[in-house]
Amino acid sequence: MTIPINVFLHTVIGETKQAIAADNQTWFKRMSSTDFSATTVSMNVTNNTTLNSTAMDTDSKSKGYVGMIIAMFLLALVFNISALIMIVRSTKSHKWSAFYRLMVSLNITDLVGSVTCFPVLLATYANNVQWQGGQPVCDYTGYMISFVFLSSASIIGAMSTERFVGVWFPFFYNKSGAKERRTNIILGGIWTTTACIALLPIIGFGEYVLQYPGTWCFYNFRAKNLADKVYAYLYSVIWILIIFCTVLFNLLVIVKLVMRRVSASDKKKQNSKAKRNEIYSIVLLVVIVIVTATCGVPLAIRAIVNESGSEKNNNADLHASRMATFNMILDPLVYIFFRRENLEWLFRFIRKKRGKSSKPSEESSSASAKTDETNRSATNLEKIQPEFSGAVTT
């Protein structure tokens, strides 16, 4: 007796769905036992389950988040690709110096993070905040997020270090040859090191768990066993140290550039173009300091606070993670809006406006000067006329 092909396929698909549902339920029960209270997540995929009021409210809100996530994903793609195109088109001016090699690597890292992380987030919200894929997808998402966050911070730290050495030790920086090769080695080291650090939880040292509200995975910063605790502290401390060094080096560069501008001897030696380039560097570095500190520090601090046993605050963790995610969008914007060409246009525009506003005052001052000169001439003439008349009478 032969079985119709459609009946056979229907039976296989049905059994596969039941197996996946059973695996998801088992995984979610295990994740719930790790002190994760996802009140908005329901991993029960059977049709007979009744959602509670909190889950129903979350399901209604998830539809609005889908549009926001799509918009953020598109913005990240557009901004990073645009920044890459701008850097490639301006090759003649920067000639692939160390700074621009690092900038391209930062854009590529943020672009990879956007392409690999946002689709998982979108799929979760599109399925009424129900996590899809169980622990394998959680490990994948946690790995990519950890890798991108640490790599981006490390590349920005390398950029600030390169600026610091070039400004404070210019002779050493210029004498050391093969800058491009050295930059490539540093980039390879950054990506390899951060990839290995992010891989540790998958091989047993640490753990990637589902984080509130059940839409993203990150390393367990409420761990109970020693290995997970050590990894949580290790990752957080490395992250904070990189951000701290980035801020410190950038501030030192800014101080050095300001010292050069106020120094009379340096003012005489430098031409106007060099002075403008210093101003552009100061503006760019200030923005990098603000973006790096604002986006990266909150999540790292929240991880340490949670691991220290403080009271749980899921909303604070969620807001900190969103700020760190925005860094993938803001990094290319820093270059797009504050690159040299745009700053040159901005300064020319400001000088033009100042020139127009100063013209009426200059005209009025010249007119008043002419009036004063005419009055002085008339006064002198009045003084000369009596003397002349007296001389004639005599």
Side-chain angles (χ1 to χ4, degrees):
M1 180 179 179
T2 59
I3 301 176
I5 188 66
N6 59 342
V7 176
F8 174 75
L9 292 176
H10 181 74
T11 303
V12 172
I13 293 173
E15 292 178 354
T16 304
K17 288 182 178 180
Q18 291 178 1
I20 294 175
D23 292 340
N24 282 338
Q25 291 179 12
T26 303
W27 175 78
F28 180 68
K29 288 179 181 179
R30 185 176 68 84
M31 297 299 293
S32 298
S33 64
T34 62
D35 196 25
F36 166 63
S37 57
T39 58
T40 60
V41 180
S42 176
M43 296 300 291
N44 190 347
V45 295
T46 59
N47 295 326
N48 297 324
T49 303
T50 303
L51 297 176
N52 56 33
S53 58
T54 305
M56 292 177 64
D57 182 65
T58 303
D59 293 344
S60 62
K61 291 181 179 180
S62 64
K63 296 179 181 179
Y65 284 111
V66 171
M68 181 186 70
I69 296 168
I70 293 175
M72 290 176 61
F73 180 46
L74 293 177
L75 288 175
L77 289 179
V78 171
F79 291 156
N80 280 287
I81 293 175
S82 300
L84 288 173
I85 293 174
M86 291 178 182
I87 294 175
V88 172
R89 291 182 63 181
S90 59
T91 303
K92 293 182 179 180
S93 61
H94 60 72
K95 298 179 182 179
W96 291 113
S97 62
F99 178 82
Y100 283 93
R101 287 173 183 264
L102 293 169
M103 193 70 203
V104 167
S105 303
L106 178 62
N107 290 138
I108 292 174
T109 303
D110 291 334
L111 184 61
V112 170
S114 302
V115 172
T116 55
C117 297
F118 275 109
V120 178
L121 185 63
L122 179 61
T124 304
Y125 275 106
N127 286 275
N128 295 324
V129 201
Q130 294 181 1
W131 185 259
Q132 306 296 311
Q135 186 62 38
V137 177
C138 186
D139 288 338
Y140 161 77
T141 307
Y143 174 83
M144 292 307 305
I145 291 177
S146 301
F147 169 74
V148 171
F149 283 176
L150 201 58
S151 295
S152 298
S154 300
I155 293 173
I156 294 175
M159 293 168 64
S160 64
T161 305
E162 187 267 341
R163 288 293 184 91
F164 172 76
V165 175
V167 171
W168 280 86
F169 308 101
F171 294 105
F172 171 78
Y173 180 79
N174 294 324
K175 285 176 64 176
S176 59
K179 298 185 183 66
E180 292 78 10
R181 183 172 176 271
R182 184 178 64 242
T183 304
N184 294 336
I185 294 174
I186 291 173
L187 283 173
I190 288 174
W191 280 329
T192 302
T193 304
T194 53
C196 292
I197 293 175
L199 187 64
L200 291 177
I202 298 178
I203 62 178
F205 186 70
E207 183 185 17
Y208 288 127
V209 296
L210 195 65
Q211 303 288 348
Y212 177 86
T215 56
W216 62 295
C217 285
F218 204 43
Y219 65 87
N220 188 5
F221 41 66
R222 295 192 185 97
K224 301 298 182 182
N225 59 64
L226 180 61
D228 295 346
K229 280 179 172 291
V230 171
Y231 179 81
Y233 278 118
L234 176 67
Y235 189 98
S236 302
V237 169
I238 292 175
W239 198 4
I240 290 179
L241 283 177
I242 291 173
I243 295 175
F244 174 77
C245 292
T246 300
V247 174
L248 177 62
F249 286 159
N250 286 336
L251 290 177
L252 290 175
V253 170
I254 293 172
V255 169
K256 187 66 173 180
L257 294 178
V258 172
M259 289 171 58
R260 284 184 181 179
R261 289 194 57 81
V262 299
S263 174
S265 59
D266 285 343
K267 275 185 178 180
K268 294 177 181 178
K269 293 178 182 179
Q270 291 176 339
N271 54 28
S272 59
K273 185 176 181 180
K275 292 179 181 179
R276 288 198 301 269
N277 290 335
E278 286 186 355
I279 295 175
Y280 304 152
S281 300
I282 292 174
V283 173
L284 180 60
L285 288 171
V286 167
V287 177
I288 290 177
V289 169
I290 294 174
V291 170
T292 303
T294 303
C295 293
V297 171
L299 183 58
I301 292 178
R302 286 301 308 167
I304 294 178
V305 169
N306 288 325
E307 195 59 49
S308 64
S310 300
E311 186 177 354
K312 188 165 35 178
N313 190 340
N314 289 327
N315 288 326
D317 298 340
L318 180 61
H319 292 323
S321 67
R322 288 174 176 172
M323 291 176 65
T325 304
F326 270 110
N327 198 27
M328 292 185 288
I329 301 175
L330 295 178
D331 281 341
L333 279 179
V334 172
Y335 175 77
I336 291 174
F337 288 114
F338 295 94
R339 63 197 184 107
R340 182 181 302 174
E341 292 82 358
N342 292 341
L343 291 177
E344 286 178 351
W345 177 86
L346 179 62
F347 279 98
R348 283 198 303 267
F349 179 79
I350 293 175
R351 285 197 299 267
K352 187 182 294 185
K353 288 293 183 181
R354 285 183 176 178
K356 289 182 179 180
S357 61
S358 62
K359 280 184 179 180
S361 60
E362 290 177 357
E363 292 177 356
S364 60
S365 61
S366 62
S368 60
K370 289 181 180 180
T371 304
D372 294 339
E373 185 178 356
T374 303
N375 293 334
R376 285 196 299 270
S377 300
T379 304
N380 293 332
L381 183 60
E382 290 176 357
K383 291 180 179 179
I384 294 172
Q385 282 180 351
E387 297 178 357
F388 180 76
S389 61
V392 171
T393 305
T394 304

